């Protein structure tokens, strides 16, 4: 035991751990690609082994960072440009989120796709998708970020079109049209930043020097706008959000991945990096760019909520909810107050665990009872109580009721808005919370208190459980996390505690 | 005017006439012929234009180059005529189809079609 | 006297341009071929006037001779099957477009002349360098010295170009190869037979002489080979030897032998001299004569192949007509080849 | 004997001997010839790489004469990079062709067209290979002409190995363009020789060619070479020729042959004429080349998008991608000499040539993958490749990876090339090039996806699938993976490109 502990603590000192974290999903991903379609056991084993290993490695890194280890691994790609992976506390927050959720989503996906064709392809790209996400989370500079950001686009595409239906292909086209154009803007912006500043490194407090920027504010503003357009599509800022609801045709685990683990989070995370590690929040505020982002975020928050009200398709309603919720992160990051930053960044995690629970549940309903629309959900609480319990916990969290995780985010956001003098944001938050309640509470009401009002095609789970355990357990786990993150928000190891550490350490 | 200058002029004339023939005539035979003339014109320019030692014959280096050039031209001509004959068999005449009137409608930059590449070698011509 | 010489040069120059213009303007393929040969002969006169007898020989043998024969051959085959002996296509008739292009040609030719006139005259650095170093090659004809000594690398690849053309023409081949006349028919043509019997020995001896003399006077492998190839054409045409096909291993070996020897010699000297094609001091002459001799044979075979392998009267392959028109070229090829092989096996 | 003599001789002689070997014997000697050519070229390229890396620029005085009398082989980083690219791609294509044609007919199969491919592909491609190496090694103008002629003759013969009327016509047109281009090049050589009295590239460079006649020579040669490179608007011959050729031939033609004449253009403009020097006033000419390149990118991509035939789509993509190579030129010179790197933009130089490399690998992979698909469904129409995703996942993966590399999606060589080119353009604040590069990338994605989408559709007649030999699938995938790997680390290759390449000769 001693020996293992000492080995582990020695391992935490190995500063190339970030590379291993990336490889832990890359190698299974590539390996799976060369498996035959019928090698289910080996494929699942590879997948789970990678996912568990990633969680373990991330755990080691968390431990190491709390001990003060600085993780960094780099490879010179071009003269002057390195592929740099760093493991600072901000990166780790995101990595932990995606590694943890990837594990549960893998279990869920194995259950969800049982018996369907092309699983080799699916799981291969599933792993590669997470590889890209962890890579961009730990990117130490904009070059590395762009690299993984584009890779993320491409590894997600086969997942979105997985079903191969005309609808799926159309959604895939929409997705690519948005994200690739955005990728081109991001690329040009990154190259432009390098041409202007001579470096694209992420630094605490911002890379750019205020005096340098004062020399050519126009050029820097242009670069910011290009980069903003690049990340803005994945954050689904209004009016760049069109791809997200369209991508709902993908299988439920993919939606979970898109909305919680990878894609939109990559955009939000990129926005945080752009505001804090490239420009620096003071500089961005001086240039009037951070307020611009905050304004956009406020508009999107309200817009997304209003659109969500009118969706009968459950997944579409959740998608518009995502559009709205993501902008909380953007809003928090763009305000000039540490408290707001804490609120924004912690929402990255909170929104992730809550939204993934909701999508798991939506998938459960669709798989077990073929329920796709809100109007068909009457009485479903009696048929699938555990599922609906998980759903309710997450939905209430989204509205922001204590003690669920969402409450903490909104509380910090509100305080931060007042602190930074952006009092106008508080009504926005309130309106949005009311709208959240307006589109989530009716669902809960229908599910728990109405009678069955539509025919279900009940394909059932096992006799003892209401549904397949591989689908149900992940949903319950994430629901528990939602509750736990709220209840234990005071603990230093909770997302909130860790985020406060990030802000207090000055990593931003 | 030195004799060399005369031959430089002749070389330029031969080259340009050959070029004009290659571009202007649709018949593949004349295209190959034109390329040959272009070569001969350049050989003249090369040998007549090259610096020379007074009182001696032509510079041996361009002489060797022209010799090489003549051989290469022969090789190219043989291949060119061989191909032209194949075109004559397979397309029904010693012309490239887009050079022919009426073929213009089928633009060179055509989108292509299934039969664009799925054509059988056309059986020969009505002889 | 000098005026007379100038007049000669001027008329040769004018004749050259006129012949080209006539050849490019005529609609008759045969006429164009003959004009090409006449052009080649006039050009070799120009080479003599420019002090380049080696080039003159090569031009007469290869430019006018072999290439001219290729054109005549092509004419014959086109004319035999269809009315393609006469060009009816675009660009063949006089018209405003032609006038325009004649004008443009004249303008561009003047521009080209202006360019050449504008070139600053330099000393003949290379010619002098050749003179200085010729002794080290072992030959006294500077052109041969350049071809097989100083710039042997170019010559090697020039032979390579010939081999490539031969292979390329082989790879084109599909259709009958009946070039030779019927042996029965030959007996009824005493003139050709007599001519063949008379010309062949003379030409053969001349070819050997040309190769040997190349080391000190005008001549060399290419000119000799062209002559030999002419002999071969005559022999094949008269039916005294059967037409050689690309399938014959002997032809393949003969065709690449010269190139192979050239390469082998070039590499073999490297342990002593350290560079490709660098002959040891004093060994240059025998090596060059050896290479040249073998080259002559190979080039003669290649030229003969280039000549006789231009396919006879193009005719449709009936076996191709029934092939499924859909499919990539390769797919078609596959079925076709399979059918043919099966057929051959059945025949046997 | 110095090492470079050995390596450069090996590079030229090995494919040459291989070609002769494969010509005189049967199937076994064809395989032996291909193996000899591949092994010799790979060794030679590796050796040359090492030599240039340690010794810098090296020369091989053929015949021991040296310039100006003899011919010199000149080997710097640029040559080595192209030699290595040729060695890798031609080796892969050799492996591929040994199965591709071998599956069709034994060499002794008589006069049948299929047998012709099996019989003549190996010798022709090996001769082509030797001449390509010859181009990349040559330090002599006239030698370049001879090599380019051999390249042209063997390349056209490769096109006509396919038996259709289209292929014959395409080959004929290609031959005429190629020969005319060579003639224009030779005319330029004549002018330069007259004015400088030497044929050596370095010798002419030392005399600093300038003035109207030298400029005219350069213009004439460039037109000829641009026709051979299929630079817009002289590109019309390329799509039919590259589309009609047998798949392994298409791979060589698109990946290597057009690069040979591009290489000569680079040598002439940047090295012999030293046009990046500040006082040469070449900006307008560079701008023209760049504008033609930009037009090629847009025009080629749009037409690629409209094709219904798979190989024509890839061929038009070649037209477009070649445009990037010419966009490099206007970005090469930088305003303000005091900038680091002098008047020469390292980013543009590295980016342009890195693009040539990654395009070579990716395009070869694409054509081989397309060859597998058309082989399987016996049709070249895009609409008939439905179901390929299930039947030939490896080929489709190769096609996809190669396509993404062309589009500049990371990680790939194409991404790094685009990053560098964009950097050079933004450094000068020239947004036009930025826009063209970005739009070209998006259009590339569009036409690659057009193929990929069709591959995912359910096939109409699944029973018509022909099984594809594994080796054909693996070679395509290997090349595609190499194109991706180029994106992981470029440092060594870019350093190599700077050996003898940081500025014009003086």
């Amino acid at each position: 035991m001693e020996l293992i502990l000492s080995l582990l603590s020695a391992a935490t000192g190995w500063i190339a751990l970030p590379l291993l974290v990336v490889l832990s999903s890359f190698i299974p991903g590539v390996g799976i690609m060369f498996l035959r379609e019928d090698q289910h056991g080996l494929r699942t084993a590879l997948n789970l082994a990678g996912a568990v290993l990633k969680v373990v490695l991330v755990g080691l890194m968390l431990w190491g960072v709390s001990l003060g280890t600085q993780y960094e691994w780099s490879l010179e790609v071009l003269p002057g440009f390195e592929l740099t992976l760093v493991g600072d506390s901000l990166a780790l927050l995101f990595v932990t989120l995606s590694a943890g959720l990837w594990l549960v989503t893998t279990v869920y996906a194995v259950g969800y796709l049982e018996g369907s064709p092309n699983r080799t392809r699916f799981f291969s790209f599933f792993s590669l998708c997470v590889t890209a996400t962890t890579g961009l989370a730990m990117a130490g500079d904009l070059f590395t970020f762009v690299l993984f950001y584009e890779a993320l686009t491409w590894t997600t595409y086969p997942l979105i079109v997985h079903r191969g239906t005309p609808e799926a292909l159309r959604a895939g086209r929409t997705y690519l049209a948005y994200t690739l154009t955005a990728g081109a803007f991001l690329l040009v912006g990154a190259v432009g930043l390098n041409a202007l500043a001579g470096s694209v490194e992420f630094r605490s407090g911002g890379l750019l020097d205020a005096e340098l920027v004062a020399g050519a504010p126009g050029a820097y503003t242009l670069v910011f706008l290009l980069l903003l357009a690049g990340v803005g599509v994945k954050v689904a800022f209004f009016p760049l959000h069109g791809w997200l609801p369209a991508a709902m045709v993908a299988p439920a685990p993919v939606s979970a991945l898109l909305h919680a683990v990878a894609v939109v989070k990559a955009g939000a995370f990129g926005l945080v990096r752009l505001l804090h590690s490239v420009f620096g929040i003071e500089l961005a505020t001086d240039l009037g760019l951070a307020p611009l982002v905050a304004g956009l975020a406020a508009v999107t928050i309200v817009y997304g909520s209003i659109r969500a009200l009118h969706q009968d398709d459950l997944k579409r309603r959740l998608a518009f909810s995502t559009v709205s919720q993501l902008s909380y992160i953007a809003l928090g990051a763009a305000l000039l107050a540490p408290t707001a930053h804490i609120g924004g960044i912690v929402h990255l995690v909170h929104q992730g665990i809550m939204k993934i629970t909701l999508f798991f549940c939506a998938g459960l309903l669709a798989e077990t009872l073929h329920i796709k629309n809100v109007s068909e959900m009457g009485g479903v609480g009696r048929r699938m109580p555990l599922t609906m319990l998980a759903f309710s916990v997450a939905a209430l969290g989204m509205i922001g009721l204590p003690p669920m995780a969402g409450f903490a985010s909104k509380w910090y956001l509100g305080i931060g808005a007042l602190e930074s003098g952006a009092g106008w944001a508080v009504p926005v938050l309130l309106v949005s919370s009311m709208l959240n309640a307006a589109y989530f509470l009716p669902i809960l009401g229908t599910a728990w208190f109405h009678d069955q009002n539509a025919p279900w095609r009940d394909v059932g789970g096992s006799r003892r459980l209401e549904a397949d355990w591989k689908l149900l357990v992940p949903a319950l786990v994430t629901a528990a996390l939602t509750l736990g993150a709220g209840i234990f928000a005071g603990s230093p190891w909770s997302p909130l505690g860790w985020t406060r550490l990030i802000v207090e350490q000055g990593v931003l | 005017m030195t004799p060399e200058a005369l031959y430089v002029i002749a070389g330029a004339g031969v080259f340009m006439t050959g070029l004009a023939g290659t571009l202007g005539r649709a018949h593949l035979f004349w295209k190959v012929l034109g390329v040959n003339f272009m070569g001969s014109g350049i050989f003249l320019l090369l040998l007549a234009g090259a610096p020379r030692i007074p009182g001696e014959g032509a510079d041996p280096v361009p002489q060797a180059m022209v010799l090489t050039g003549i051989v290469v031209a022969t090789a190219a001509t043989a291949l060119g005529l061989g191909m032209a004959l194949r075109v004559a068999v397979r397309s029904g005449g010693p012309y490239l189809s887009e050079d022919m009137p009426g073929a213009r409608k089928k633009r060179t930059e055509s989108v292509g079609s299934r039969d664009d590449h799925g054509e059988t070698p056309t059986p020969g011509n009505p002889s | 006297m000098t005026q007379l010489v100038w007049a000669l040069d001027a008329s040769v120059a004018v004749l050259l341009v006129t012949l080209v213009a006539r050849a490019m303007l005529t609609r008759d393929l045969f006429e164009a071929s003959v004009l090409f040969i006449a052009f080649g002969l006039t050009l070799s006169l120009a080479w003599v006037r420019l002090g380049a007898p080696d080039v003159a020989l090569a031009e007469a043998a290869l430019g006018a001779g072999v290439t001219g024969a290729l054109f005549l051959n092509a004419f014959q085959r086109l004319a035999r099957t269809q009315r393609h002996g006469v060009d009816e296509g675009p660009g063949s008739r006089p018209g405003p477009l032609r006038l325009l292009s004649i004008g443009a040609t004249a303008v561009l030719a003047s521009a080209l002349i202006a360019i050449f006139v504008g070139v600053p005259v330099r000393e003949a650095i290379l010619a002098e360098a050749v003179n200085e170093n010729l002794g080290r090659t072992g030959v006294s004809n500077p052109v041969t010295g350049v071809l097989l000594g100083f710039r042997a690398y170019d010559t090697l690849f020039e032979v390579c170009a010939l081999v490539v053309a031969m292979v390329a023409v082989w790879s084109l081949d599909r259709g009958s190869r009946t070039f030779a006349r019927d042996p029965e028919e030959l007996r009824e043509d005493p003139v050709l037979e007599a001519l063949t019997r008379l010309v062949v020995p003379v030409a053969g001896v001349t070819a050997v002489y040309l190769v040997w003399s190349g080391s000190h006077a005008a001549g060399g492998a290419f000119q000799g080979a062209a002559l030999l190839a002419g002999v071969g054409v005559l022999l094949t045409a008269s039916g005294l030897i059967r037409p050689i096909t690309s399938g014959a291993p002997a032809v393949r070996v003969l065709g690449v032998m010269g190139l192979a020897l050239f390469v082998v010699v070039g590499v073999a000297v490297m342990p002593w001299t350290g560079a490709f094609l660098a002959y040891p001091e004093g060994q240059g002459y025998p090596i060059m004569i050896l290479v040249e001799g073998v080259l002559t044979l190979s080039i003669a075979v290649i030229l003969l192949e280039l000549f006789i392998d231009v396919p006879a009267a193009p005719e449709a392959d009936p076996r191709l007509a029934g092939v499924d028109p859909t499919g990539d070229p390769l797919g078609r090829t596959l079925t076709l080849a399979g059918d043919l092989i099966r057929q051959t096996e059945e025949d046997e | 004997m110095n090492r470079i003599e050995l390596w450069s001789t090996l590079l030229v002689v090995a494919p040459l001997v291989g070609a002769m070997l494969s010509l005189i014997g049967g199937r076994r000697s064809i395989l032996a010839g291909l193996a000899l050519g591949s092994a010799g070229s790979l060794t030679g390229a590796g050796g040359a790489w090492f030599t240039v890396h340690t010794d810098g620029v090296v020369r091989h005085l053929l015949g021991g004469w040296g310039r100006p009398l003899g011919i010199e082989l000149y080997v710097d980083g640029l040559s080595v990079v192209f030699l290595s690219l040729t060695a890798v791609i031609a080796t892969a294509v050799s492996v591929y062709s040994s199965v591709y044609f071998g599956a069709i007919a034994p060499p002794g199969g008589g006069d049948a067209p299929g047998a012709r491919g099996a019989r003549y592909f190996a010798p022709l491609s090996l001769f082509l290979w030797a001449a390509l190496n010859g181009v990349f090694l040559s330090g002599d103008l006239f030698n370049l002409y001879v090599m380019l002629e051999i390249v042209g003759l063997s390349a056209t013969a490769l096109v006509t190995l396919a038996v259709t009327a289209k292929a014959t016509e395409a080959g004929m047109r290609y031959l005429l363009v190629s020969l005319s281009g060579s003639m224009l090049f030779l005319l330029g050589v004549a002018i330069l020789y007259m004015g400088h009295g030497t044929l050596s590239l370095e010798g002419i460079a030392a005399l600093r060619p300038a003035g109207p006649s030298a400029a005219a020579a350069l213009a004439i040669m460039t037109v000829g070479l641009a026709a051979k490179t299929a630079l817009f608007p002289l590109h019309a011959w390329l799509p039919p020729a590259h589309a009609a050729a047998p798949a392994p031939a298409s791979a060589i033609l698109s990946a290597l042959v057009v690069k040979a004449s591009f290489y000569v253009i680079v040598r002439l403009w940047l090295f012999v004429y030293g046009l990046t020097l500040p006082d040469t006033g070449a900006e307008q000419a560079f701008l023209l080349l760049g504008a033609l390149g930009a037009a090629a990118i847009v025009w080629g991509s749009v037409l690629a998008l409209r094709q219904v035939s798979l190989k024509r789509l890839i061929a038009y993509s070649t037209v477009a991608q070649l445009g990037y190579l010419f966009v490099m030129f206007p970005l090469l010179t930088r305003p303000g000499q005091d900038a680091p790197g002098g008047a020469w933009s390292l980013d543009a130089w590295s980016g342009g040539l890195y693009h040539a490399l990654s395009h070579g690998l990716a395009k070869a992979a694409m054509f081989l993958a397309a060859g597998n698909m058309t082989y399987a469904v016996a049709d070249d129409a895009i609409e008939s490749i439905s179901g390929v995703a299930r039947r030939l996942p490896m080929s489709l993966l190769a096609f996809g990876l190669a396509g993404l590399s062309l589009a500049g999606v990371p990680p790939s060589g194409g991404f790094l090339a685009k990053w560098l080119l964009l950097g050079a353009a933004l450094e000068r604040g020239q947004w036009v090039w930025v826009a063209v590069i970005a739009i070209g990338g998006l259009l590339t994605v569009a036409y690659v996806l057009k193929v990929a989408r069709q591959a995912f559709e359910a096939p109409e007649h699944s029973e018509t699938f022909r099984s594809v030999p594994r080796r054909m699938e693996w070679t395509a995938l290997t090349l595609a993976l190499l194109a991706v790997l180029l994106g992981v680390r470029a440092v060594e290759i870019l350093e190599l490109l700077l050996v003898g390449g940081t500025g014009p000769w003086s």
Side-chain angles (χ1 to χ4, degrees), chain A residues 289-360:
Chain A
L289 297 169
L292 173 76
V293 173
L296 261 177
V299 170
T300 312
I301 288 173
V302 177
Y303 170 83
S305 302
I306 292 176
R307 286 297 302 273
L309 278 177
H310 302 293
Q311 308 300 329
D312 186 38
D313 185 325
L314 179 59
K315 283 175 83 182
R316 262 183 91 80
R317 186 176 291 196
L318 294 180
F320 276 108
S321 157
T322 304
V323 171
S324 160
Q325 295 281 332
L326 278 172
S327 282
Y328 282 39
I329 308 172
L331 179 66
L335 294 176
L336 189 60
T339 322
H341 302 161
I342 295 175
I345 291 168
V346 80
H347 202 55
L348 194 81
V349 177
H350 287 164
Q351 190 268 349
I353 50 181
M354 292 187 292
K355 192 48 68 63
I356 202 168
T357 311
L358 293 172
F359 272 107
F360 281 164

Side-chain angles (χ1 to χ4, degrees), chain D residues 470-490:
Chain D
R470 297 282 284 177
R471 219 189 296 171
M472 279 163 62
E473 293 221 75
W474 275 109
T475 36
L477 187 58
T478 309
L479 284 176
L481 287 176
L482 283 176
V484 171
L485 266 180
L486 275 185
V488 175
R489 191 161 167 89

Side-chain angles (χ1 to χ4, degrees), chain D residues 266-282:
Chain D
V266 170
R267 273 271 181 257
L268 286 176
W269 281 69
L270 306 186
F271 290 79
V272 177
Y273 279 74
L275 285 182
T276 49
L277 294 179
D279 55 345
T280 45

Side-chain angles (χ1 to χ4, degrees), chain B residues 10, chain C residues 9-19:
Chain C
D9 282 328
S11 48
V12 168
V14 170
L15 189 58
L16 283 174
V17 179
T18 319
L19 285 172

Side-chain angles (χ1 to χ4, degrees), chain D residues 101-152:
Chain D
F101 290 111
I104 300 166
D111 220 13
R116 280 178 27 212
R119 171 67 270 185
Y120 293 112
F121 179 82
L124 285 171
S125 67
L126 283 163
F127 277 126
L128 175 61
W129 194 349
L132 284 172
N133 283 347
V135 169
F136 299 135
L137 286 168
S138 184
D140 184 279
L141 271 178
F142 190 72
N143 184 244
L144 275 176
Y145 161 73
V146 176
M147 295 298 182
L148 285 174
E149 272 301 33
I150 299 177
V151 168

